[in-house]
Amino acid sequence: MYLIADSGFLPLAAITWVRYFSITYLVLYFAFLKGRLNDFGKLGDYSYGIYIYAFPIQQSIVALLGKDFPIYQHTLLAFIIIFPLSWLSWHYIEKPTIKLKAIFQ
C-alpha cells in the first residue's frame, strides 16, 4: 500500500494516522506553553480530590438523571459538584494531614 494513491490524494487511512500524531503533538505543545495555566496549582492541589470524588458523583448523576442525559450537561454538572468537593477536601483534609506528616517524621 502506498501512502499517496495514484490519484495524488492521501487515502483516509493515512489521514487517520496523521490525525493521531497531530493530536499528540498539540497536547504536548500546549502542555509546555508558558502562561496563566502554569499558575493553576498555586491555590492548592485539587487533583486527588477530583480523582476520588469524580466516579461516585458521575455514577450518582447517571442514577438520578438517567443514561440519556446529554454528555456535555453531565460533564458540566459533574464538574460543578466535584470541584467544590475537591476544594474542601484539599483545604480541610489533605493540607492539614500533610502538615501533620512533618510532626511524625
Side-chain angles (χ1 to χ4, degrees):
M1 181 172 138
Y2 295 103
L3 185 61
I4 298 179
D6 294 334
S7 62
F9 295 103
L10 287 173
L12 290 178
I15 293 172
T16 300
W17 282 101
V18 169
R19 182 179 60 195
Y20 292 136
F21 289 116
S22 299
I23 290 171
T24 304
Y25 176 79
L26 287 173
V27 166
L28 290 173
Y29 174 78
F30 286 116
F32 288 101
L33 273 180
K34 301 292 182 205
R36 294 176 56 193
L37 286 178
N38 292 6
D39 297 333
F40 182 74
K42 279 186 176 180
L43 301 175
D45 185 6
Y46 308 125
S47 61
Y48 187 68
I50 291 171
Y51 171 73
I52 61 173
Y53 296 122
F55 182 75
I57 296 298
Q58 290 168 348
Q59 294 300 307
S60 299
I61 291 172
V62 170
L64 293 172
L65 300 176
K67 64 181 180 178
D68 296 328
F69 194 59
I71 188 68
Y72 64 91
Q73 290 178 353
H74 174 98
T75 304
L76 182 63
L77 180 60
F79 183 77
I80 289 171
I81 297 169
I82 293 166
F83 194 76
L85 288 174
S86 65
W87 185 89
L88 290 169
S89 176
W90 169 252
H91 287 285
Y92 294 107
I93 298 171
E94 298 169 45
K95 192 174 178 182
T97 306
I98 291 172
K99 287 180 183 177
L100 288 175
K101 178 181 168 184
I103 296 172
F104 292 107
Q105 281 186 341

